Amino acid sequence: MDPSLTPCIPDSIREKFSVFLSFDKPNEGYGRRKFGALNSLIFNNYNRKIFLPFLANKISNEIRNSNNTFDLIWSVIQGQTMICLVPKVANKLNLEYVVEIWDPPEWWLDENHFDSYSYHKVMKAFKRLLLNAKCCLAASHNMAKEYKEKYSAVCVPVIPSLKAYSPFIKKSDNSEFHIGYSGQIYSKNEFSAFIDSLDSIKWTYQGKRIILYVFTDYIDTVILKQHPNIKSSGWIPQEELLKRLSCMDLCYCPYRFDKKFEVIARLSFPSKLTSYLKSGVPVLVHAPVYSSISNFIKDGITGYVCNTTNIDDIAEKVKLIINDGNRESIGMNGYQLFLKFLTNETMKKSFYKSLGMRDTNYEHCTD
């Protein structure tokens, strides 16, 4: 793990382990330092050729010396370390491996300013990783489809999930239209365009005052001062968040349009959308047409989709949603989408499928 992280594994889980070993990851952001390209070239290739083989030997020897028998390796792949390390350990222990991809590696490599040579080497290793994996747990249906076609990988989509139970539907004041947003605001340009679109109609339509409730600590206080119709609650517990979202008339889910982020928009999946759909409130997906969430939500059926950053077009979409007499049924259609694809039970089934276990095992897993 990254040495800057300090995860706490509950005793109830730790006591189930036959063996527990912890190893520090090497630095993965050399390209962010001064002389980034040169640092990336020197240190990433040192890690790939010297340190990671050494670490693979160390891990493999520790596992062999534990006198335990293992059937399979399961690894979350985030960054170049795990891309290169997993096949080495699997080969030394003569084990099959299953990988789970949270974000496409291209995004990670770009964010860490990899030099072109190291970039090429990691992507080549990623291709081999997927080609030889028993299964790849993909972060979205788009990712599963693309990796199957591009890398001939066996893929199963595993999307962020929650427990399945009925939403707490509670209607808001009929004189107001409440919009909910939760989580980090990483789609800043899209979020700003959405606010500008509400500014353009003076935060009111058909006699309804529009209020935007933002459940995050990541919002500029200047924005709050400039827009009294934006109410910030900061971070709140998940159960409380779901109750608050259920009081909304609409939930807002933006994804970046910038071509620089095309691969992550196309292949990743925002966990906030799972919470939104569980709430039973209709969702407005504000994302490019090629994004995973634009393909997941069907406009006017399981939610609403807006594929533009044009302020006037966004405003027109908001007006259409406020006027839509089928809005509540669309919200419930979205909830059915949650039940089909985004529950813990669905995730369990996908996970067990990736391990090659039979359906009869699904019902016995309750944790």
Side-chain angles (χ1 to χ4, degrees):
M1 64 183 177
D2 188 311
S4 67
L5 301 179
T6 55
C8 179
I9 300 176
D11 290 339
S12 60
I13 295 177
R14 283 285 292 271
E15 66 189 14
K16 297 177 182 178
F17 293 167
S18 300
V19 182
F20 178 79
L21 306 171
S22 178
F23 300 92
D24 284 347
K25 266 188 179 183
N27 187 309
E28 294 184 292
Y30 290 109
R32 292 175 171 271
R33 297 179 176 180
K34 190 176 181 181
F35 308 114
L38 182 60
N39 267 315
S40 172
L41 180 63
I42 293 171
F43 291 106
N44 281 314
N45 285 286
Y46 166 80
N47 283 338
R48 181 174 56 84
K49 291 182 178 180
I50 299 174
F51 182 74
L52 291 182
F54 163 78
L55 185 57
N57 273 331
K58 188 175 180 180
I59 292 171
S60 303
N61 288 337
E62 291 273 10
I63 292 173
R64 284 195 201 95
N65 293 337
S66 71
N67 294 319
N68 285 272
T69 301
F70 297 94
D71 305 298
L72 185 75
I73 293 172
W74 164 58
S75 179
V76 174
I77 303 299
Q78 182 82 334
Q80 69 272 24
T81 298
M82 301 311 293
I83 289 173
C84 298
L85 186 62
V86 169
K88 294 181 187 301
V89 175
N91 185 57
K92 289 179 180 299
L93 296 174
N94 195 27
L95 291 174
E96 291 184 306
Y97 60 87
V98 169
V99 293
E100 182 166 357
I101 313 294
W102 284 348
D103 293 303
E106 295 94 327
W107 166 80
W108 179 273
L109 301 179
D110 288 337
E111 284 289 299
N112 287 289
H113 307 303
F114 265 57
D115 65 281
S116 57
Y117 177 77
S118 302
Y119 190 109
H120 170 74
K121 285 294 184 180
V122 173
M123 289 308 300
K124 192 173 180 180
F126 183 70
K127 180 178 180 179
R128 288 196 303 269
L129 175 84
L130 293 191
L131 184 63
N132 295 316
K134 177 182 175 70
C135 187
C136 169
L137 295 163
S140 69
H141 290 88
N142 273 18
M143 181 184 283
K145 182 175 183 292
E146 183 165 319
Y147 283 1
K148 181 180 179 181
E149 294 172 352
K150 188 174 182 180
Y151 300 115
S152 300
V154 177
C155 292
V156 177
V158 175
I159 303 173
S161 65
L162 291 168
K163 291 181 181 178
Y165 54 77
S166 299
F168 318 87
I169 300 299
K170 179 184 176 184
K171 296 199 175 188
S172 62
D173 183 342
N174 210 32
S175 65
E176 297 181 339
F177 189 82
H178 295 177
I179 303 174
Y181 178 92
S182 71
Q184 295 187 46
I185 305 175
Y186 46 79
S187 303
K188 292 182 180 179
N189 293 337
E190 293 71 25
F191 187 80
S192 293
F194 185 65
I195 291 175
D196 289 344
S197 75
L198 297 177
D199 279 341
S200 73
I201 58 175
K202 303 187 185 307
W203 294 79
T204 183
Y205 184 67
Q206 299 287 54
K208 291 179 182 285
R209 182 183 177 218
I210 300 172
I211 309 291
L212 175 60
Y213 289 90
V214 179
F215 304 99
T216 183
D217 286 343
Y218 294 92
I219 186 166
D220 194 330
T221 54
V222 174
I223 294 176
L224 298 177
K225 288 178 181 178
Q226 291 176 342
H227 299 89
N229 284 39
I230 301 178
K231 311 293 183 184
S232 177
S233 299
W235 291 123
I236 59 176
Q238 178 81 7
E239 289 303 309
E240 183 182 347
L241 172 65
L242 289 168
K243 289 178 182 178
R244 295 288 297 275
L245 290 176
S246 294
C247 297
M248 300 295 128
D249 297 293
L250 182 71
C251 290
Y252 174 62
C253 187
Y255 234 23
R256 289 178 282 206
F257 282 73
D258 190 332
K259 281 292 182 180
K260 176 182 174 183
F261 300 103
E262 178 179 347
V263 67
I264 200 163
R266 195 175 70 246
L267 302 182
S268 295
F269 194 95
S271 58
K272 62 169 58 69
L273 185 54
T274 300
S275 298
Y276 290 170
L277 292 172
K278 178 172 179 171
S279 74
V281 169
V283 178
L284 171 58
V285 162
H286 183 199
V289 68
Y290 53 75
S291 67
S292 63
I293 55 177
S294 286
N295 292 332
F296 189 71
I297 297 293
K298 302 302 179 186
D299 189 36
I301 301 173
T302 54
Y304 301 96
V305 179
C306 181
N307 296 135
T308 177
T309 55
N310 180 277
I311 292 169
D312 293 334
D313 291 342
I314 299 170
E316 288 303 313
K317 193 71 177 185
V318 172
K319 291 177 184 178
L320 180 151
I321 294 169
I322 293 174
N323 277 335
D324 192 353
N326 294 321
R327 195 173 62 244
E328 288 187 18
S329 63
I330 289 173
M332 292 312 299
N333 288 344
Y335 176 69
Q336 293 302 316
L337 196 65
F338 161 78
L339 290 178
K340 184 175 181 180
F341 293 110
L342 305 175
T343 66
N344 287 352
E345 190 61 30
T346 301
M347 185 170 68
K348 282 182 216 169
K349 290 180 179 181
S350 296
F351 182 65
Y352 275 97
K353 182 179 179 181
S354 76
L355 302 182
M357 296 175 69
R358 294 177 301 171
D359 290 5
T360 51
N361 288 297
Y362 301 160
E363 61 193 52
H364 301 305
C365 183
T366 57
D367 291 339

